Amino acid sequence: MASAETTDVHGDTRHLYLLGHHISHSLSPRFHNTIYTSLNLPWKFHLLDTPNPRDLLPRMHDPSFAGASITMPHKVTFIDHVDELTDAGKTIRAINTVFIRDDPTTGKRTYVGTNTDCIGVRDAILNNYPDTVRGKPAVVLGGGGACRAAVYAMLSLMGASEVYLVNRDAGEVEDVIGDFRLAGLADRCVHVRTVEQAQGLPPATVIVGTVPDVAPLSEDEIRARDIVACFLRRSTTKGVLLDMCYHPRLETALIVSARKEGWGVVYGNEAFFYQALAQVVLLTGRTLDELPIETVRELICPNTRETGAR
């Protein structure tokens, strides 16, 4: 991977983007620009709010491009626009980061897609609640790119015995399980379709929410909520719930439900913080020790440890 010094050869200012739609609330510009300023890098991070993922392509192939974050709804579809995928990207089949590898001999640029959301899930939970999931079941609510990252984190990074998948759309869950079959992980994924099925399963110790914080309206949405509520109620040893949603509020309905049942909670901005740190390491070639971690933690997660996770 090219270092920050070698990636500045094309000009004074390098440009990075967050590709997504309805992303005006994103914490990414403040986070990234604060770090690049601290590192004295002439880099600028921009929002690219568009329903069309191809709008990033002309910017990506400009010599001043230094990398990108990918968010909803493009995490799955943008795989088609990178040259290579890391192992995490291949397994999850959703990417949230595009970084560059420069060939020092030919100067050829390779655009690499990876997923650091899985690191965000792992570190947000384990840095607040160590040893909560290894060898035990976990629940993941959702069916999109963030769900895939959470499942990967549970099974490949955190040692969960199995993952119970809950979602309003059964087809999305089956697609997730089908993609994980290629990595040999599908046998540890269980699609939980009803409250009755949930009642018959061993209790979970970790729950990860990956859906927007909106009230359930349809029959399928209400059913998914009720299944998660069942897992929260019936666990004799209360676990920890991470809701990856942090907008428009940290204290989501899912967080409130977990608190009422005596579960520990981790806010979504913690997961954002750790996945974004992993992104910066890839994009700049710097180590974590070189980054202003406490500065950006205070920026992104003020008082989280006091009011959220223990």
Side-chain angles (χ1 to χ4, degrees), residues 43-278:
W43 291 16
K44 298 295 182 183
F45 190 98
H46 314 274
L47 292 183
L48 180 57
D49 193 327
T50 174
N52 184 357
R54 297 184 65 87
D55 287 345
L56 179 61
L57 297 184
R59 295 167 173 85
M60 191 166 87
H61 295 288
D62 187 283
S64 68
F65 177 79
S69 300
I70 313 295
T71 191
M72 294 175 62
H74 305 312
K75 290 184 179 184
V76 175
T77 58
F78 206 76
I79 283 178
D80 294 336
H81 301 298
V82 296
D83 299 318
E84 294 180 6
L85 294 172
T86 64
D87 288 344
K90 290 176 184 176
T91 301
I92 296 169
R93 299 301 303 169
I95 60 174
N96 77 326
T97 308
V98 176
F99 65 96
I100 298 167
R101 288 190 181 129
D102 288 323
D103 188 307
T105 303
T106 66
K108 179 184 177 182
R109 290 184 131 194
T110 299
Y111 299 91
V112 184
T114 192
N115 193 301
T116 65
D117 282 333
C118 55
I119 297 172
V121 170
R122 179 195 66 189
D123 290 354
I125 293 173
L126 294 185
N127 284 332
N128 291 290
Y129 296 89
D131 303 322
T132 54
V133 69
R134 184 165 297 279
K136 303 167 188 173
V139 175
V140 176
L141 171 64
C147 161
R148 292 165 178 264
V151 173
Y152 180 85
M154 294 297 116
L155 295 178
S156 294
L157 305 182
M158 299 173 68
S161 59
E162 55 193 338
V163 170
Y164 306 144
L165 280 157
V166 181
N167 191 37
R168 65 180 182 178
D169 187 326
E172 286 183 346
V173 174
E174 294 307 316
D175 287 343
V176 171
I177 294 175
D179 285 341
F180 276 102
R181 185 166 287 112
L182 299 175
L185 299 175
D187 290 345
R188 293 161 62 196
C189 296
V190 179
H191 184 183
V192 182
R193 301 171 182 269
T194 66
V195 170
E196 291 73 22
Q197 182 185 0
Q199 290 171 336
L201 292 168
T205 59
V206 169
I207 297 175
V208 181
T210 70
V211 300
D213 183 30
V214 295
L217 297 177
S218 70
E219 181 178 341
D220 289 335
E221 290 169 341
I222 293 170
R223 173 185 47 78
R225 179 203 61 188
D226 290 346
I227 292 171
V228 172
C230 175
F231 281 117
L232 286 170
R233 286 193 306 269
R234 63 184 296 266
S235 181
T236 54
T237 302
K238 302 302 182 181
V240 56
L241 180 141
L242 162 65
D243 194 348
M244 294 182 71
C245 179
Y246 60 81
H247 177 79
R249 53 193 161 267
L250 291 176
E251 200 80 9
T252 64
L254 199 55
I255 291 280
V256 171
S257 296
R259 284 193 190 281
K260 287 180 179 177
E261 296 296 337
W263 283 56
V265 301
V266 179
Y267 292 136
N269 59 346
E270 287 262 335
F272 168 85
F273 172 73
Y274 287 110
Q275 69 80 21
L277 284 178

Side-chain angles (χ1 to χ4, degrees), residues 4 8 13-14 16 28-45 280 284 286 290-292 295-296 299:
D8 283 338
T13 303
R14 306 297 305 282
L16 306 97
S28 289
R30 293 175 66 199
F31 179 94
H32 282 269
N33 286 324
T34 297
I35 287 186
Y36 302 144
T37 298
S38 175
L39 295 175
N40 293 316
L41 287 174
W43 291 16
K44 298 295 182 183
F45 190 98
V280 170
T284 66
R286 303 296 180 89
E290 297 176 88
L291 304 184
T295 298
V296 287
L299 183 70

